[in-house]
Protein backbone atom coordinates (compact mmCIF):
# COMPACT_ATOMS: atom_id res chain seq x y z
CA UNK A 1 0.00 0.00 0.00
CA UNK A 2 2.67 2.49 1.10
CA UNK A 3 5.16 1.13 -1.44
CA UNK A 4 2.91 2.24 -4.27
CA UNK A 5 2.70 5.78 -2.94
CA UNK A 6 6.41 6.07 -2.31
CA UNK A 7 7.49 4.50 -5.59
CA UNK A 8 6.78 7.88 -7.16
CA UNK A 9 9.60 9.39 -5.12
CA UNK A 10 12.10 6.70 -4.32
CA UNK A 11 11.83 4.13 -7.09
CA UNK A 12 9.93 0.90 -6.77
CA UNK A 13 10.41 -0.33 -3.21
CA UNK A 14 8.83 -3.64 -4.17
CA UNK A 15 11.83 -4.32 -6.41
CA UNK A 16 14.18 -4.40 -3.40
CA UNK A 17 15.59 -7.85 -2.55
CA UNK A 18 13.61 -9.89 -0.06
CA UNK A 19 14.57 -9.78 2.74
CA UNK A 20 15.77 -6.20 2.37
CA UNK A 21 19.40 -5.45 3.26
CA UNK A 22 19.39 -2.47 5.62
CA UNK A 23 23.12 -1.91 5.09
CA UNK A 24 22.71 -1.72 1.30
CA UNK A 25 23.97 1.38 -0.49
CA UNK A 26 20.59 2.16 -2.06
CA UNK A 27 20.03 5.81 -1.07
CA UNK A 28 17.97 4.79 1.95
CA UNK A 29 15.31 2.84 0.07
CA UNK A 30 15.67 -0.29 2.22
CA UNK A 31 15.53 1.77 5.42
CA UNK A 32 12.47 3.57 4.11
CA UNK A 33 10.74 0.28 3.35
CA UNK A 34 11.56 -0.96 6.85
CA UNK A 35 9.93 2.19 8.26
CA UNK A 36 6.84 1.47 6.15
CA UNK A 37 6.74 -2.14 7.45
CA UNK A 38 6.87 -1.00 11.09
CA UNK A 39 4.46 1.90 10.59
CA UNK A 40 1.12 0.08 11.12
CA UNK A 41 2.10 -1.44 14.51
CA UNK A 42 0.46 0.08 17.59
CA UNK A 43 3.40 0.51 19.98
CA UNK A 44 3.47 1.81 23.52
CA UNK A 45 5.96 1.69 26.40
CA UNK A 46 4.98 -1.96 27.05
CA UNK A 47 3.01 -4.69 25.32
CA UNK A 48 2.75 -6.68 22.13
CA UNK A 49 3.45 -3.71 19.85
CA UNK A 50 6.98 -3.43 21.26
CA UNK A 51 7.48 -7.21 20.97
CA UNK A 52 6.28 -7.27 17.36
CA UNK A 53 8.57 -4.35 16.53
CA UNK A 54 11.57 -6.09 18.14
CA UNK A 55 10.72 -9.30 16.29
CA UNK A 56 10.75 -7.43 12.99
CA UNK A 57 14.10 -5.86 13.88
CA UNK A 58 15.42 -9.37 14.59
CA UNK A 59 14.83 -10.28 10.97
CA UNK A 60 17.80 -7.98 10.29
CA UNK A 61 20.02 -8.00 13.40
CA UNK A 62 20.28 -10.47 16.31
CA UNK A 63 18.81 -8.81 19.42
CA UNK A 64 18.71 -10.12 22.96
CA UNK A 65 15.19 -9.51 24.26
CA UNK A 66 14.84 -8.55 27.93
CA UNK A 67 11.51 -8.79 29.76
CA UNK A 68 11.43 -6.80 33.00
CA UNK A 69 8.44 -7.49 35.30
CA UNK A 70 5.84 -4.86 36.18
CA UNK A 71 6.35 -3.48 39.66
CA UNK A 72 10.16 -3.64 39.66
CA UNK A 73 11.62 -0.56 41.32
CA UNK A 74 14.08 1.20 38.99
CA UNK A 75 15.70 4.19 40.70
CA UNK A 76 12.81 6.58 41.48
CA UNK A 77 10.39 4.83 39.09
CA UNK A 78 8.42 1.60 38.96
CA UNK A 79 8.08 -0.60 35.87
CA UNK A 80 4.43 -0.03 34.90
CA UNK A 81 1.64 -2.49 34.19
CA UNK A 82 1.68 -3.92 30.68
CA UNK A 83 -0.80 -2.36 28.26
CA UNK A 84 -2.31 -4.16 25.28
CA UNK A 85 -5.07 -3.14 22.92
CA UNK A 86 -7.11 -5.12 20.41
CA UNK A 87 -9.76 -2.66 19.20
CA UNK A 88 -11.39 0.66 20.04
CA UNK A 89 -14.20 2.71 18.58
CA UNK A 90 -16.90 5.29 19.12
CA UNK A 91 -20.16 4.32 17.38
CA UNK A 92 -23.06 6.69 16.78
CA UNK A 93 -26.66 5.66 17.43
CA UNK A 94 -26.86 4.24 13.89
CA UNK A 95 -24.03 1.82 14.74
CA UNK A 96 -21.52 3.61 12.52
CA UNK A 97 -17.89 3.79 13.76
CA UNK A 98 -17.26 7.55 13.81
CA UNK A 99 -13.86 7.09 15.53
CA UNK A 100 -12.10 3.85 14.62
CA UNK A 101 -8.80 2.51 16.01
CA UNK A 102 -8.58 0.34 12.88
CA UNK A 103 -8.10 3.40 10.64
CA UNK A 104 -5.43 5.00 12.89
CA UNK A 105 -3.94 3.71 16.13
CA UNK A 106 -3.41 7.35 17.15
CA UNK A 107 -7.19 7.55 17.77
CA UNK A 108 -6.76 5.93 21.18
CA UNK A 109 -5.23 7.75 24.13
CA UNK A 110 -2.17 5.59 24.85
CA UNK A 111 -2.56 3.42 27.97
CA UNK A 112 -6.36 3.84 27.99
CA UNK A 113 -8.04 1.56 30.52
CA UNK A 114 -10.83 -0.67 29.12
CA UNK A 115 -14.28 0.86 28.76
CA UNK A 116 -17.54 -0.16 27.10
CA UNK A 117 -20.49 2.16 27.70
CA UNK A 118 -23.18 4.28 26.12
CA UNK A 119 -22.79 8.01 26.80
CA UNK A 120 -24.02 11.35 25.51
CA UNK A 121 -21.93 13.87 23.57
CA UNK A 122 -21.11 16.10 26.53
CA UNK A 123 -19.65 13.21 28.56
CA UNK A 124 -17.87 11.87 25.47
CA UNK A 125 -16.24 15.26 24.92
CA UNK A 126 -14.55 15.02 28.32
CA UNK A 127 -12.62 12.07 26.89
CA UNK A 128 -11.77 13.57 23.48
CA UNK A 129 -8.42 15.17 22.63
CA UNK A 130 -7.80 17.37 19.60
CA UNK A 131 -5.45 20.16 18.60
CA UNK A 132 -7.15 23.37 17.41
CA UNK A 133 -3.76 24.57 16.08
CA UNK A 134 -3.66 21.68 13.59
CA UNK A 135 -7.36 21.06 12.94
CA UNK A 136 -6.89 18.32 10.30
CA UNK A 137 -4.46 16.10 12.18
CA UNK A 138 -4.97 13.52 14.92
CA UNK A 139 -2.77 14.38 17.91
CA UNK A 140 -0.77 11.69 19.74
CA UNK A 141 -1.59 11.65 23.45
CA UNK A 142 -0.84 9.21 26.27
CA UNK A 143 -1.68 8.78 29.93
CA UNK A 144 0.91 6.34 31.24
CA UNK A 145 0.88 7.16 34.92
CA UNK A 146 -2.69 8.32 35.56
CA UNK A 147 -5.45 5.82 34.78
CA UNK A 148 -7.69 7.31 32.10
CA UNK A 149 -9.41 6.51 28.83
CA UNK A 150 -9.89 8.66 25.79
CA UNK A 151 -9.89 9.16 22.06
CA UNK A 152 -7.84 11.52 19.90
CA UNK A 153 -9.26 13.01 16.73
CA UNK A 154 -8.87 15.95 14.41
CA UNK A 155 -10.31 19.18 15.75
CA UNK A 156 -12.43 19.48 12.63
CA UNK A 157 -14.03 16.10 13.35
CA UNK A 158 -14.58 16.98 16.99
CA UNK A 159 -16.46 20.15 16.06
CA UNK A 160 -18.66 18.20 13.64
CA UNK A 161 -19.77 15.50 16.11
CA UNK A 162 -23.57 15.79 16.45
CA UNK A 163 -25.47 15.45 19.68
CA UNK A 164 -26.23 11.74 19.93
CA UNK A 165 -25.95 8.72 22.16
CA UNK A 166 -22.59 7.08 21.51
CA UNK A 167 -21.26 3.60 22.22
CA UNK A 168 -17.65 3.88 23.38
CA UNK A 169 -15.48 0.79 23.47
CA UNK A 170 -11.81 0.38 24.27
CA UNK A 171 -10.88 -3.31 24.22
CA UNK A 172 -7.62 -2.96 26.12
CA UNK A 173 -5.94 -4.57 29.11
CA UNK A 174 -3.69 -3.04 31.74
CA UNK A 175 -2.25 -5.87 33.81
CA UNK A 176 0.89 -7.11 35.50
CA UNK A 177 3.24 -8.19 32.72
CA UNK A 178 6.56 -6.92 31.43
CA UNK A 179 8.46 -4.02 29.97
CA UNK A 180 10.29 -5.33 26.92
CA UNK A 181 13.47 -4.02 25.33
CA UNK A 182 16.02 -5.28 22.84
CA UNK A 183 19.78 -5.08 23.11
CA UNK A 184 22.61 -5.97 20.73
CA UNK A 185 26.32 -5.95 21.48
CA UNK A 186 28.54 -5.85 18.40
CA UNK A 187 31.92 -6.86 19.77
CA UNK A 188 35.10 -5.01 18.90
CA UNK A 189 38.69 -5.52 20.09
CA UNK A 190 38.10 -3.45 23.22
CA UNK A 191 35.41 -4.10 25.83
CA UNK A 192 34.92 -0.30 25.98
CA UNK A 193 31.56 0.50 24.46
CA UNK A 194 29.78 2.99 22.26
CA UNK A 195 26.08 3.25 23.17
CA UNK A 196 23.57 3.80 20.35
CA UNK A 197 20.02 4.10 21.66
CA UNK A 198 16.62 4.61 20.09
CA UNK A 199 13.05 4.42 21.37
CA UNK A 200 10.44 1.87 20.26
CA UNK A 201 7.36 3.15 22.09
CA UNK A 202 5.41 5.36 19.70
CA UNK A 203 2.49 4.08 17.58
CA UNK A 204 2.27 5.11 13.91
CA UNK A 205 4.77 7.98 13.94
CA UNK A 206 7.55 7.82 11.36
CA UNK A 207 10.08 10.53 12.13
CA UNK A 208 9.71 10.53 15.91
CA UNK A 209 10.37 6.82 16.32
CA UNK A 210 10.72 4.66 13.23
CA UNK A 211 13.46 6.70 11.55
CA UNK A 212 15.75 6.17 14.56
CA UNK A 213 15.05 2.44 14.57
CA UNK A 214 15.80 2.10 10.84
CA UNK A 215 19.08 4.04 11.03
CA UNK A 216 20.19 2.16 14.18
CA UNK A 217 19.48 -1.18 12.47
CA UNK A 218 21.43 -0.11 9.37
CA UNK A 219 24.42 0.92 11.52
CA UNK A 220 24.30 -2.32 13.52
CA UNK A 221 24.14 -4.39 10.35
CA UNK A 222 27.08 -2.57 8.83
CA UNK A 223 29.24 -2.61 11.99
CA UNK A 224 28.48 -6.31 12.46
CA UNK A 225 30.67 -7.18 9.49
CA UNK A 226 33.60 -4.93 10.45
CA UNK A 227 36.81 -5.27 12.47
CA UNK A 228 36.14 -2.71 15.21
CA UNK A 229 38.14 -1.00 17.91
CA UNK A 230 35.18 -0.42 20.24
CA UNK A 231 32.24 -2.66 21.08
CA UNK A 232 28.86 -1.20 20.13
CA UNK A 233 25.80 -1.57 22.32
CA UNK A 234 22.53 -0.93 20.49
CA UNK A 235 19.43 -0.35 22.59
CA UNK A 236 15.86 -0.52 21.29
CA UNK A 237 13.89 0.62 24.32
CA UNK A 238 10.69 2.38 25.31
CA UNK A 239 11.43 6.09 25.88
CA UNK A 240 12.15 7.37 29.42
CA UNK A 241 11.00 4.36 31.47
CA UNK A 242 12.99 2.05 29.16
CA UNK A 243 16.28 3.91 29.49
CA UNK A 244 15.73 4.34 33.25
CA UNK A 245 15.04 0.60 33.58
CA UNK A 246 18.03 -0.31 31.45
CA UNK A 247 20.36 2.00 33.39
CA UNK A 248 19.09 0.64 36.72
CA UNK A 249 19.57 -3.03 35.87
CA UNK A 250 22.86 -2.48 33.99
CA UNK A 251 24.31 0.00 36.44
CA UNK A 252 27.57 -1.87 37.18
CA UNK A 253 28.16 -2.01 33.45
CA UNK A 254 27.77 1.69 32.68
CA UNK A 255 31.44 2.56 33.22
CA UNK A 256 32.17 0.61 30.01
CA UNK A 257 30.39 3.29 27.98
CA UNK A 258 32.95 5.70 26.57
CA UNK A 259 30.86 7.35 23.86
CA UNK A 260 27.28 7.29 22.67
CA UNK A 261 24.35 8.97 21.01
CA UNK A 262 20.58 8.72 20.83
CA UNK A 263 19.04 8.52 17.36
CA UNK A 264 15.64 10.12 16.81
CA UNK A 265 13.86 12.23 14.18
CA UNK A 266 16.48 11.30 11.57
CA UNK A 267 14.15 10.91 8.58
CA UNK A 268 12.66 14.36 7.93
CA UNK A 269 13.89 16.68 5.19
CA UNK A 270 15.44 19.22 7.58
CA UNK A 271 19.17 19.69 8.08
CA UNK A 272 21.08 17.63 10.67
CA UNK A 273 21.21 18.64 14.33
CA UNK A 274 23.44 17.34 17.08
CA UNK A 275 22.63 17.99 20.72
CA UNK A 276 25.73 17.74 22.87
CA UNK A 277 26.06 15.58 25.96
CA UNK A 278 25.88 17.13 29.43
CA UNK A 279 29.69 17.19 29.45
CA UNK A 280 29.56 19.42 26.37
CA UNK A 281 33.11 18.71 25.21
CA UNK A 282 33.14 14.91 25.22
CA UNK A 283 34.97 13.21 22.35
CA UNK A 284 31.60 12.24 20.84
CA UNK A 285 30.47 15.88 20.95
CA UNK A 286 33.62 17.02 19.18
CA UNK A 287 33.39 14.17 16.63
CA UNK A 288 29.79 15.03 15.66
CA UNK A 289 30.61 18.74 15.47
CA UNK A 290 33.58 18.04 13.20
CA UNK A 291 31.62 15.67 10.93
CA UNK A 292 28.70 18.09 10.51
CA UNK A 293 31.06 21.02 9.85
CA UNK A 294 32.95 19.00 7.24
CA UNK A 295 29.72 18.05 5.43
CA UNK A 296 29.59 21.50 3.85
CA UNK A 297 25.81 21.72 4.29
CA UNK A 298 23.60 23.44 6.84
CA UNK A 299 23.58 21.95 10.34
CA UNK A 300 22.94 22.92 13.92
CA UNK A 301 24.77 22.11 17.16
CA UNK A 302 22.67 22.47 20.30
CA UNK A 303 24.00 22.61 23.84
CA UNK A 304 22.75 20.01 26.29
CA UNK A 305 19.42 20.64 27.97
CA UNK A 306 17.57 18.32 30.37
CA UNK A 307 14.59 18.06 27.99
CA UNK A 308 14.33 15.79 24.98
CA UNK A 309 14.88 12.04 24.57
CA UNK A 310 16.76 9.37 26.50
CA UNK A 311 19.98 11.43 26.57
CA UNK A 312 18.27 13.07 29.58
CA UNK A 313 18.61 9.82 31.50
CA UNK A 314 22.10 8.91 30.25
CA UNK A 315 23.20 12.48 31.09
CA UNK A 316 21.57 12.60 34.54
CA UNK A 317 24.18 13.81 37.05
CA UNK A 318 24.64 10.42 38.72
CA UNK A 319 25.45 8.76 35.39
CA UNK A 320 26.83 11.66 33.32
CA UNK A 321 27.57 9.42 30.34
CA UNK A 322 29.12 11.03 27.25
CA UNK A 323 25.94 10.52 25.21
CA UNK A 324 24.48 13.15 22.87
CA UNK A 325 21.52 13.07 20.50
CA UNK A 326 21.57 13.10 16.72
CA UNK A 327 18.47 14.22 14.85
CA UNK A 328 17.42 16.34 11.91
CA UNK A 329 14.65 18.76 12.90
CA UNK A 330 14.41 18.65 16.71
CA UNK A 331 11.21 17.38 18.34
CA UNK A 332 8.55 20.02 18.80
CA UNK A 333 10.08 22.21 16.10
CA UNK A 334 8.12 20.66 13.23
CA UNK A 335 4.33 21.04 13.25
CA UNK A 336 3.85 17.36 12.35
CA UNK A 337 5.50 16.36 15.67
CA UNK A 338 3.28 13.95 17.67
CA UNK A 339 0.48 14.06 15.12
CA UNK A 340 -0.88 11.82 12.39
CA UNK A 341 1.02 14.00 9.89
CA UNK A 342 4.32 12.43 11.06
CA UNK A 343 3.55 9.75 8.50
CA UNK A 344 5.32 8.03 5.60
CA UNK A 345 5.23 11.16 3.48
CA UNK A 346 6.99 13.18 6.17
CA UNK A 347 10.17 11.06 6.08
CA UNK A 348 12.34 10.43 3.03
CA UNK A 349 14.76 7.72 1.95
CA UNK A 350 17.55 10.22 1.11
CA UNK A 351 17.26 11.78 4.58
CA UNK A 352 17.50 8.37 6.26
CA UNK A 353 20.51 7.60 4.07
CA UNK A 354 22.21 10.91 4.88
CA UNK A 355 21.60 10.43 8.62
CA UNK A 356 23.06 6.92 8.54
CA UNK A 357 26.09 8.14 6.54
CA UNK A 358 26.82 10.95 9.00
CA UNK A 359 26.47 8.61 11.98
CA UNK A 360 28.76 6.13 10.27
CA UNK A 361 31.41 8.80 9.59
CA UNK A 362 31.22 9.91 13.23
CA UNK A 363 31.75 6.30 14.31
CA UNK A 364 34.76 6.12 11.97
CA UNK A 365 36.19 9.26 13.61
CA UNK A 366 35.78 7.73 17.08
CA UNK A 367 37.26 4.42 15.87
CA UNK A 368 40.38 5.99 14.39
CA UNK A 369 40.90 8.87 16.79
CA UNK A 370 44.38 7.92 17.97
CA UNK A 371 47.30 10.03 19.06
CA UNK A 372 50.52 10.03 17.05
CA UNK A 373 54.13 10.92 17.54
CA UNK A 374 56.26 12.74 14.95
CA UNK A 375 59.47 10.68 14.82
CA UNK A 376 61.49 13.55 13.25
CA UNK A 377 60.34 16.50 15.36
CA UNK A 378 63.51 18.62 15.06
CA UNK A 379 62.44 21.11 12.38
CA UNK A 380 60.51 19.82 9.37
CA UNK A 381 61.63 16.52 7.86
CA UNK A 382 62.78 16.77 4.24
CA UNK A 383 59.60 15.29 2.79
CA UNK A 384 61.01 14.71 -0.69
CA UNK A 385 63.49 12.22 0.72
CA UNK A 386 60.60 10.08 1.98
CA UNK A 387 58.80 9.95 -1.35
CA UNK A 388 55.95 12.02 0.04
CA UNK A 389 55.88 14.45 -2.87
CA UNK A 390 54.73 11.60 -5.08
CA UNK A 391 51.64 11.26 -2.91
CA UNK A 392 51.02 14.97 -3.14
CA UNK A 393 49.37 15.15 -6.52
CA UNK A 394 46.00 15.31 -8.15
CA UNK A 395 43.11 17.57 -7.33
CA UNK A 396 43.33 17.27 -3.52
CA UNK A 397 47.10 17.85 -3.42
CA UNK A 398 46.76 21.03 -1.43
CA UNK A 399 44.64 19.42 1.26
CA UNK A 400 46.87 16.37 1.58
CA UNK A 401 50.02 18.47 1.80
CA UNK A 402 48.43 20.61 4.50
CA UNK A 403 47.23 17.54 6.39
CA UNK A 404 50.77 16.10 6.34
CA UNK A 405 52.25 19.35 7.65
CA UNK A 406 49.61 19.72 10.38
CA UNK A 407 50.01 16.10 11.46
CA UNK A 408 53.79 16.42 11.70
CA UNK A 409 53.49 19.66 13.61
CA UNK A 410 50.78 18.65 16.09
CA UNK A 411 51.78 15.02 16.66
CA UNK A 412 53.69 15.42 19.91
CA UNK A 413 51.69 12.64 21.56
CA UNK A 414 49.15 14.94 23.22
CA UNK A 415 46.81 15.80 20.32
CA UNK A 416 44.45 13.25 18.83
CA UNK A 417 43.76 12.93 15.13
CA UNK A 418 40.35 14.55 15.72
CA UNK A 419 41.99 17.46 17.57
CA UNK A 420 44.28 18.04 14.60
CA UNK A 421 41.55 17.53 11.97
CA UNK A 422 39.27 20.03 13.72
CA UNK A 423 42.08 22.52 14.08
CA UNK A 424 43.16 22.42 10.42
CA UNK A 425 39.58 21.95 9.22
CA UNK A 426 40.42 19.27 6.67
CA UNK A 427 38.24 16.30 5.64
CA UNK A 428 38.49 13.04 7.59
CA UNK A 429 39.43 11.02 4.51
CA UNK A 430 42.41 13.33 3.83
CA UNK A 431 43.54 13.08 7.46
CA UNK A 432 43.50 9.28 7.28
CA UNK A 433 45.41 9.35 4.01
CA UNK A 434 48.05 11.64 5.56
CA UNK A 435 48.41 9.30 8.57
CA UNK A 436 48.92 6.35 6.24
CA UNK A 437 51.49 8.17 4.09
CA UNK A 438 53.50 9.44 7.08
CA UNK A 439 53.36 6.08 8.87
CA UNK A 440 54.57 4.24 5.77
CA UNK A 441 57.42 6.75 5.46
CA UNK A 442 58.44 6.04 9.06
CA UNK A 443 57.79 9.62 10.14
CA UNK A 444 54.75 8.98 12.37
CA UNK A 445 53.98 6.40 15.02
CA UNK A 446 50.72 5.72 16.82
CA UNK A 447 50.95 6.26 20.58
CA UNK A 448 50.02 3.07 22.43
CA UNK A 449 46.85 3.59 24.45
CA UNK A 450 45.71 1.26 27.21
CA UNK A 451 42.31 -0.34 26.50
ZN1 LIG B 1 7.86 11.46 20.91
Amino acid sequence: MHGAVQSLKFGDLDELPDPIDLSADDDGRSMYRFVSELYPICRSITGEGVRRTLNQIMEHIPLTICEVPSGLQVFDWTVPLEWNIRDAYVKDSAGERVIDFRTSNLHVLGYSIPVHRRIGLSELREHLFSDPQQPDWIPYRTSYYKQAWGFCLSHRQLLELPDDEYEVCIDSSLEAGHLTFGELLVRGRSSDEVLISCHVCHPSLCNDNLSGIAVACALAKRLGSMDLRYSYRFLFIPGTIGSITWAAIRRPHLSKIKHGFVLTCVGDRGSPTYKASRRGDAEIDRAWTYVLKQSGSAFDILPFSPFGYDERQYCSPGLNLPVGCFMRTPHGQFPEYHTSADDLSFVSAPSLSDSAAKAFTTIDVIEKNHKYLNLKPLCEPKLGDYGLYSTIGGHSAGDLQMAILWLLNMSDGTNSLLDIAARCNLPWGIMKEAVRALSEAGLLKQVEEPD
Side-chain angles (χ1 to χ4, degrees), residues 68 72 74-75 77-80 179 181 238 240-251:
V68 183
L72 186 78
V74 285
F75 299 134
W77 297 61
T78 306
V79 174
L179 176 148
F181 67 85
T240 306
I241 187 64
S243 53
I244 292 169
T245 300
W246 177 81
I249 64 182
R250 295 278 192 270
R251 194 171 179 196

Side-chain angles (χ1 to χ4, degrees), residues 140 199 201-202 205 208-209 264-265 309 331 337-338:
Y140 164 53
H199 58 283
C201 55
H202 290 32
L205 295 168
D208 180 6
N209 208 160
T264 183
C265 299
Y309 290 90
H331 68 95
Y337 172 71
H338 279 190

Side-chain angles (χ1 to χ4, degrees), residues 209-347:
N209 208 160
L210 302 178
S211 66
I213 295 174
V215 170
C217 287
L219 290 175
K221 184 103 196 276
R222 199 158 163 195
L223 293 177
S225 65
M226 290 173 58
D227 176 29
L228 296 164
R229 172 185 180 187
Y230 289 107
S231 296
Y232 288 77
R233 187 169 296 273
F234 287 86
L235 288 186
F236 298 86
I237 50 171
T240 306
I241 187 64
S243 53
I244 292 169
T245 300
W246 177 81
I249 64 182
R250 295 278 192 270
R251 194 171 179 196
H253 182 87
L254 299 184
S255 62
K256 286 278 176 207
I257 293 169
K258 305 301 181 195
H259 317 282
F261 51 90
V262 169
L263 282 170
T264 183
C265 299
V266 285
D268 68 83
R269 291 169 178 79
S271 51
T273 304
Y274 176 73
K275 172 183 165 182
S277 72
R278 181 175 179 271
R279 300 184 187 192
D281 64 345
E283 191 175 330
I284 190 71
D285 300 326
R286 292 184 292 111
W288 269 110
T289 303
Y290 167 75
V291 167
L292 294 185
K293 270 187 185 167
Q294 282 298 319
S295 74
S297 318
F299 67 94
D300 209 0
I301 304 289
L302 302 177
F304 176 75
S305 87
F307 186 66
Y309 290 90
D310 287 318
E311 71 280 3
R312 285 158 28 223
Q313 313 309 331
Y314 306 132
C315 292
S316 58
L319 305 182
N320 201 22
L321 298 177
V323 175
C325 180
F326 178 57
M327 54 207 142
R328 301 190 80 84
T329 309
H331 68 95
Q333 293 186 21
F334 50 96
E336 295 84 355
Y337 172 71
H338 279 190
T339 76
S340 54
D342 182 0
D343 62 9
L344 287 163
S345 68
F346 186 62
V347 294

